[in-house]
Amino acid sequence: MTSSLQHIENWIFDLDNTLYPPDADLFTHIDKRMAYYISVKLNLPLEKSQKLQQDYYLKYGASLVGLYRYHNIDPYEYLAYVHNIEMDSLSPDLTLRRSIENLPGRKWIFTNGDRPYAEQVLERRGLSGVFEGVFDIHSSQYRPKPDPSCYQRMLEEFEADGEKSLFVDDMACNLLPAKDQGMTTVWVNHGLKGQDGHITEGHEKIDYEIYDVGSWLKEITA
């Protein structure tokens, strides 16, 4: 392990567009199902449901939060529906698996999705059984990333010291509260629209900027 990371005991990974490449394009399918679900449940034209979905996402970090708070949407029903997509674009990455397995210490997933969806993605990526657990949107009590409270709740659930933890996410804005908890932060910069702007307000809180998780893990453990 590279000397600057020898203190890390807890390796925490975001899921979407972090443990699989963004060109898998799962969110195109998820977004369509979100908009349709909202349209039916709230009796809205599709264009209005898409706008509401986007507004809640920008405000809360997950569309579900606004739907749950203001429209009494069942979180479990909603997530089961929107995550019922084909995942043929995902394939196993055995090199990534070996790199994560070789990390010294504990590993888990920190996602704004839910556990069943995370488990499906991990299975498709050949990563089943690698992680100790999943901290999902239900675990956050519907206060997901980047709400600062869920980072503390996540650390408490896994009985982890923030100063000895590292968090990897493809959204720079999700790393800023992690740094405030003492975590080492790693930004997977895919250069996607809407991500570059997030780092301008807190670039000093990003410890590592990388472009591929597997390559970086291989480098630091060489």
Side-chain angles (χ1 to χ4, degrees), residues 73-88:
I73 292 295
D74 182 337
Y76 291 90
E77 178 187 270
Y78 169 82
L79 291 171
Y81 180 83
V82 303
H83 287 150
N84 185 20
I85 61 169
E86 293 293 332
M87 295 188 181
D88 293 342

Side-chain angles (χ1 to χ4, degrees), residues 15-197:
L15 180 74
D16 291 304
N17 295 334
T18 296
L19 293 181
Y20 64 80
D23 58 14
D25 203 23
L26 297 189
F27 272 97
T28 294
H29 307 292
I30 292 173
D31 283 346
K32 289 179 180 178
R33 292 183 70 81
M34 285 180 178
Y36 181 77
Y37 183 95
I38 295 167
S39 175
V40 171
K41 283 291 183 178
L42 302 185
N43 194 26
L44 293 174
L46 194 57
E47 288 185 2
K48 288 188 176 181
S49 71
Q50 289 171 329
K51 185 178 186 307
L52 186 66
Q53 168 200 343
Q54 184 68 8
D55 288 346
Y56 284 154
Y57 171 75
L58 292 174
K59 185 174 183 179
Y60 298 113
S63 303
L64 171 59
V65 177
L67 297 171
Y68 174 70
R69 290 184 182 182
Y70 303 118
H71 307 282
N72 200 32
I73 292 295
D74 182 337
Y76 291 90
E77 178 187 270
Y78 169 82
L79 291 171
Y81 180 83
V82 303
H83 287 150
N84 185 20
I85 61 169
E86 293 293 332
M87 295 188 181
D88 293 342
S89 59
L90 298 182
S91 58
D93 187 336
L94 298 183
T95 300
L96 177 61
R97 181 186 180 97
R98 285 193 295 270
S99 295
I100 296 174
E101 286 178 328
N102 287 339
L103 294 171
R106 305 164 66 201
K107 307 113 183 177
W108 62 84
I109 300 295
F110 182 18
T111 176
N112 282 351
D114 65 352
R115 186 187 306 270
Y117 168 73
E119 289 174 347
Q120 290 181 59
V121 171
L122 293 174
E123 181 178 3
R124 296 288 299 198
R125 290 292 281 161
L127 297 173
S128 295
V130 172
F131 298 96
E132 177 180 325
V134 176
F135 188 93
D136 67 0
I137 195 168
H138 303 301
S139 305
S140 76
Q141 299 179 10
Y142 311 111
R143 299 185 65 178
K145 299 177 291 185
D147 188 314
S149 68
C150 76
Y151 295 76
Q152 182 61 41
R153 187 172 287 117
M154 180 269 297
L155 291 172
E156 289 174 354
E157 178 167 313
F158 288 104
E159 299 181 342
D161 180 349
E163 297 287 344
K164 298 179 180 179
S165 301
L166 178 146
F167 179 44
V168 185
D169 200 299
D170 69 302
M171 295 296 293
C173 62
N174 289 341
L175 293 166
L176 308 189
K179 190 63 178 178
D180 292 338
Q181 293 286 340
M183 288 185 262
T184 299
T185 54
V186 182
W187 180 34
V188 188
N189 179 7
H190 296 302
L192 299 179
K193 182 181 178 181
Q195 291 192 357
D196 291 341

